[in-house]
Amino acid sequence: AQKVTQAQTEISVVEKEDVTLDCVYETRDTTYYLFWYKQPPSGELVFLIRRNSFDEQNEISGRYSWNFQKSTSSFNFTITASQVVDSAVYFCALLNFGNEKLTFGTGTRLTIIP
Amino acid sequence: KAGVTQTPRYLIKTRGQQVTLSCSPISGHRSVSWYQQTPGQGLQFLFEYFSETQRNKGNFPGRFSGRQFSNSRSEMNVSTLELGDSALYLCASSLALTGAGDTEAFFGQGTRLTVV
């Protein structure tokens, strides 16, 4: 069975602060993929990043960075110098290789206070 | 390049009715997946279609069905609607099967279904 846990239901930070969204996953497979999606109020899920289980390198993309640690089954997401436009619900998701479905966490609602 | 288009955006139906939702994937994408999003259950996988064949189905009753046409457009049908079917239904398209992993799924804005 596979499971994704996002323990933080809601987070509020003041603009320009850094914020980290936690994601812990469970899977018995050795080949899997992890994703982060952003869901703004308009509803669509916006793809942010994909990482496979064999690549533990951290990644930085502008103000976004991701920390993947297999030892703790975590794939955390950090936004540096947050902006109001970052306000959204963020979902972490897991895909086992060969399985056609994404398993999503329950999401973290991030509010950036101007 | 046009994104994933879902129609209609909003729908209100009465209990017992049936409903059909439509999803037009990004041009060239052959895989279409459907997800249901509710406050209580979160995002749950419904099914995926690839080249007009259903590849996998989530844990939903038989009232939920779908199909995919030769142009990759997909429809989802829910019969005998129940109040609990009220949700945001999201469609995602990708070039290859979702299970391949190394392909991004692009989501539409969803259809918000309200059953009264």
Side-chain angles (χ1 to χ4, degrees):
Chain A
Q2 53 195 56
K3 183 180 178 182
V4 176
T5 301
Q6 294 180 257
Q8 303 152 309
T9 306
E10 294 191 34
I11 299 176
S12 294
V13 299
V14 176
E15 195 174 18
K16 296 184 183 176
E17 286 185 350
D18 298 347
V19 58
T20 295
L21 309 182
D22 298 333
C23 173
V24 174
Y25 63 93
E26 294 176 32
T27 179
R28 294 177 185 164
D29 288 9
T30 55
T31 304
Y32 53 89
Y33 297 83
L34 295 163
F35 302 78
W36 275 95
Y37 283 89
K38 173 182 179 180
Q39 187 176 41
S42 53
E44 79 276 19
L45 287 168
V46 178
F47 169 83
L48 295 176
I49 190 173
R50 175 186 65 243
R51 174 68 71 220
N52 73 54
S53 54
F54 299 108
D55 182 3
E56 285 192 73
Q57 279 192 351
N58 292 331
E59 181 158 337
I60 299 174
S61 176
R63 297 183 298 106
Y64 296 170
S65 63
W66 290 270
N67 183 0
F68 176 28
Q69 292 194 341
K70 287 178 73 172
S71 60
T72 55
S73 296
S74 65
F75 186 43
N76 296 337
F77 172 33
T78 298
I79 301 175
T80 303
S82 60
Q83 300 176 1
V84 173
V85 293
D86 296 328
S87 296
V89 181
Y90 290 85
F91 290 93
C92 180
L94 167 69
L95 176 75
N96 287 334
F97 181 73
N99 189 326
E100 276 75 43
K101 70 171 187 175
L102 283 163
T103 297
F104 286 89
T106 49
T108 297
R109 181 177 297 278
L110 176 64
T111 301
I112 308 300
I113 303 166
Chain B
K1 188 176 185 181
V4 179
T5 303
Q6 291 189 245
T7 56
R9 289 291 311 280
Y10 303 92
L11 207 49
I12 300 176
K13 288 287 188 179
T14 304
R15 237 178 345 173
Q17 287 186 313
Q18 75 163 18
V19 67
T20 298
L21 312 181
S22 179
C23 173
S24 293
I26 293 171
S27 178
H29 285 196
R30 296 168 64 191
S31 167
V32 173
S33 300
W34 289 89
Y35 290 81
Q36 181 197 64
Q37 185 176 23
T38 60
Q41 299 298 317
L43 277 154
Q44 295 189 90
F45 171 78
L46 279 157
F47 28 64
E48 179 174 18
Y49 285 87
F50 184 83
S51 294
E52 302 179 64
T53 302
Q54 187 180 92
R55 297 287 303 189
N56 198 358
K57 188 172 185 202
N59 296 324
F60 280 83
R63 300 184 296 106
F64 291 81
S65 63
R67 58 178 175 169
Q68 186 180 35
F69 302 94
S70 58
N71 61 358
S72 293
R73 189 178 71 86
S74 177
E75 287 182 347
M76 190 191 90
N77 184 275
V78 187
S79 62
T80 320
L81 283 166
E82 300 177 359
L83 295 179
D85 297 332
S86 295
L88 179 67
Y89 290 88
L90 291 162
C91 160
S93 84
S94 54
L95 272 172
L97 277 170
T98 304
D102 57 351
T103 182
E104 287 117 32
F106 295 87
F107 285 79
Q109 290 187 301
T111 294
R112 185 165 295 283
L113 171 66
T114 302
V115 182
V116 298

